[in-house]
Amino acid sequence: MTRFRSSLAPLAVAVLGLIAVPQQAWAAPPTPVPPSVGATQQQQSGPVSACAPTVRGASVDARLTSLFTSYGNDNNRLDDWTGADGTYSVKLPNGRELWVFSDTFLGRVNPDGSRPPVVEEGGSTVFLNNSFAVERDGRLSTVHDGTAAEPEAVMPPRDDKHWYWAGDATLAGGLVEVTYQEYERFGSGAWDWRWHRNVVARFAPGRLDQPISVHDLPSGHGVSWASGLLKDGGYTYVYGVEDLGSAKYMHLARVRGQSLLGTWEFRTADGSWSPDETDSARIMGGVANEYSVTRVGSGYVLITHDTTEVLSPNIVAYSSCSPTGPFTGKQHVYTTPETSGNVFTYNAHAHPDVAGNGLVVSYNVNSFVNTDHYRDVSIYRPRFLDVTFE
């Protein structure tokens, strides 16, 4: 089983919850479920919060779509980005935009829009489990560790049985803090892999090819932190996901200030905060592994793929008067046109620091058939939307 097949393919299943999640490296106790989790879809689809605007519409963001298409197809360099998923972003101190990716293809794109197979399968395409791209003045550049001839991930694995997928990122004290989830392989079977722990890696904006330090994050309750980050009211709110396969639940923590290295507090079932991670409660169901909470006007908007439906092409929004929820008033945002046959979409979330005609939202496209990623480079690339509110 190559690294490509043992990493990318399981992700496709994990994010959609089509089978039970692999054996976990933890045994979480039962979590109290607040009323919002047990709500029916009809209840979740109730009135939009008075504090938040309603969705007016969503359209393709032509600038970002063109930017990543042109860059991905450009063969001026052969150690740069041709496709990836994850797609988080954070603005650097000098105004550049840092795009944070998980599984990434580097290399050549053929004239017919295909890509060579990965190196592990006899081709020339490099496959890394994480990378960066930096956007400046409408131009992109890829950041990886290693050399042009032998690229390596910016967040290197400890060995060939482990790898890191990226979560959201933030800026703290002039340094970039990127959350990562470490996964590990424990056997030879196709599904013998599991989530292991959460960490945060700190990068200097002028030296992004490798972290200057890596720190453990809370990992003892089976929650992957952080699906999304939000700075608000003197706190950094950290949104996580408890992934049980077909069922996924939001969890919430916070840290005073801007750095994730501070003291964490966890949202409990009674709406209070606890320093004990085992008190972290399920805030609501129906979220994806990656989602976002963004301040819009006087309220807060949750953007997520709709995981209440199997293989859903639908991106939805919920709203709240507080970053802690409850998030209600389920609204349809967009139906992804790429979803068909083996091709699926997943993990929509917002990019509030990225300029667009409204709130910029990205989502990922993938296929259950590995050779689709060779046949058509456009499949394994993010898509971008402008979402407007009224």
Side-chain angles (χ1 to χ4, degrees):
M1 189 72 69
T2 67
R3 178 177 57 176
F4 172 62
R5 293 186 183 279
S6 64
S7 176
L8 186 68
L11 174 60
V13 176
V15 296
L16 292 167
L18 300 182
I19 61 170
V21 292
Q23 177 183 343
Q24 300 294 321
W26 44 268
T31 305
V33 181
S36 60
V37 173
T40 65
Q41 184 170 341
Q42 182 179 4
Q43 290 171 313
Q44 289 180 342
S45 302
V48 177
S49 164
C51 298
T54 57
V55 175
R56 184 173 66 189
S59 59
V60 173
D61 185 304
R63 183 190 74 84
L64 287 169
T65 299
S66 175
L67 177 67
F68 278 90
T69 298
S70 298
Y71 182 67
N73 291 342
D74 189 343
N75 287 328
N76 285 331
R77 292 185 63 100
L78 297 182
D79 66 327
D80 61 356
W81 188 98
T82 66
D85 75 346
T87 323
Y88 285 101
S89 64
V90 62
K91 192 170 289 295
L92 299 175
N94 60 7
R96 294 178 299 169
E97 197 73 38
L98 178 66
W99 293 94
V100 179
F101 292 107
S102 291
D103 286 341
T104 304
F105 289 115
L106 306 179
R108 176 184 299 279
V109 172
N110 298 321
D112 63 355
S114 64
R115 63 164 55 89
V118 294
V119 171
E120 292 87 343
E121 296 178 356
S124 60
T125 297
V126 172
F127 177 74
L128 303 178
N129 289 127
N130 53 79
S131 69
F132 295 147
V134 176
E135 179 187 352
R136 182 176 186 176
D137 298 328
R139 298 175 64 88
L140 289 170
S141 59
T142 300
V143 179
H144 58 71
D145 199 1
T147 65
E150 295 186 3
E152 297 178 1
V154 294
M155 182 61 175
R158 67 171 87 178
D159 53 41
D160 62 4
K161 296 185 182 299
H162 294 82
W163 65 89
Y164 289 103
W165 281 328
D168 206 353
T170 189
L171 196 66
L175 296 178
V176 180
E177 295 187 351
V178 185
T179 59
Y180 288 95
Q181 294 85 50
E182 185 181 49
Y183 286 79
E184 65 180 0
R185 175 163 290 285
F186 59 88
S188 58
W191 310 112
D192 291 346
W193 59 279
R194 58 193 171 194
W195 172 87
H196 180 59
R197 62 171 179 154
N198 305 302
V199 301
V200 60
R202 308 184 88 198
F203 295 84
R207 179 72 187 277
L208 292 167
D209 59 333
Q210 54 186 245
I212 59 175
S213 62
V214 178
H215 307 264
D216 289 335
L217 291 181
S219 302
H221 192 51
V223 177
S224 295
W225 309 99
S227 300
L229 299 173
L230 171 67
K231 292 179 179 179
D232 189 80
Y235 288 95
T236 298
Y237 289 90
V238 186
Y239 298 87
V241 63
E242 178 188 359
D243 183 356
L244 301 180
S246 59
K248 302 178 194 293
Y249 299 101
M250 173 194 289
H251 284 248
L252 176 60
R254 69 180 185 181
V255 186
R256 186 177 296 275
Q258 297 187 339
S259 175
L260 299 178
L261 300 184
T263 301
W264 284 45
E265 298 178 305
F266 303 90
R267 192 73 168 175
T268 67
D270 64 6
S272 62
W273 296 95
S274 169
D276 187 347
E277 188 187 8
T278 61
D279 291 332
S280 179
R282 296 169 178 170
I283 304 299
M284 65 177 287
V287 296
N289 291 72
E290 299 175 11
Y291 57 91
S292 62
V293 174
T294 306
R295 179 138 197 178
V296 176
S298 61
Y300 299 83
V301 174
L302 162 64
I303 298 288
T304 183
H305 248 83
D306 189 355
T307 61
T308 66
E309 305 170 348
V310 177
L311 285 174
S312 177
N314 294 316
I315 298 170
V316 295
Y318 299 86
S319 62
S320 176
C321 296
S322 166
T324 63
F327 295 94
T328 59
K330 182 177 182 180
Q331 304 174 73
H332 178 265
V333 174
Y334 188 75
T335 298
T336 58
E338 298 83 5
T339 302
S340 178
N342 292 312
V343 176
F344 60 93
T345 59
Y346 57 106
N347 284 347
H349 55 256
H351 301 264
D353 292 335
V354 178
N357 183 26
L359 181 64
V360 173
V361 169
S362 68
Y363 62 94
N364 299 315
V365 184
N366 208 328
S367 175
F368 291 110
V369 178
N370 284 339
T371 53
D372 280 351
H373 305 105
Y374 305 151
R375 175 182 57 82
D376 181 357
V377 295
S378 70
I379 289 177
Y380 199 64
R381 286 177 178 172
R383 307 300 199 266
F384 298 92
L385 305 172
D386 291 320
V387 180
T388 54
F389 299 88
E390 59 184 21

